[in-house]
Amino acid sequence: MSVFDAILLFLAGFLSGAANAVAGGGTFITFGAMTLVGVPPIVANATSSVTQFPGYITSTLAYWADIRHFWRGALLLCLISAVGALAGALILLALDNPSFRVLVPWLLLGATALFAAGPWLKPAPKPGHEAAVGSLAGSLAQFVTAIYGGFFGAGMGVMMLATLGLTQAGDYHRLNALKNMLAVVIAAVAIIVFVSGGVVAWPEAIAMIPGGALGGYAGVWIAKRVPQNVVRGFVIAVGLFLAFYYFSKG
């Protein structure tokens, strides 16, 4: 890895952390940066999971005041998420890079569309209710979302928030807290599988993680000064660019 590549990855980590703090979608940026420096798509996808993980942890801790009220009731969803993430990660490892490369542009298009629709997919407020495990349909929806998250993490947060809003009780903040908690489980299981499978590019990850930490902190400053729609537009543009790039490469 050249000095230029290391600087590019650090900056990508910074932009990813800032984007996640303001509007989400940081995976598009880390995945794209690793693609540009020549990291194979499966390794880029797995390494993105590692670089995003610290942000999932800090986001969950920020919601601890909400989580402590319902975490026992959410254990079933955690278990379902772990099993789904394991399945998704193993499916990814079963593919070779050429096979996954064919899927990548379609996955990117779907994730970008989901991210773009995020503001309209937010659950309606339901004051006075706690986020809790609900119906069988809710469990199945979370299982499918966890499979997707273990296989390809881009857009997972938006997808999960949308499905939780349709299937679980709770106001928006409690559902977001539940989403963050489940995202930690999904990412942790996927990372264990990816590390065991030897598909994590550690030098690239080490270059991005400090940038992500600084970007997450700077995201608070950015959120106060840059309209969220501008950040969302940038992330959507990155997703569309990556999809076009992989379509053009065949």
Side-chain angles (χ1 to χ4, degrees), residues 210-221:
L214 290 174
Y217 183 82
V220 177
W221 184 90

Side-chain angles (χ1 to χ4, degrees), residues 204-231:
E204 286 78 2
I206 291 170
M208 285 188 290
I209 288 173
L214 290 174
Y217 183 82
V220 177
W221 184 90
I222 294 171
K224 295 178 180 179
R225 293 164 176 82
V226 179
Q228 191 177 88
N229 287 340
V230 173
V231 179

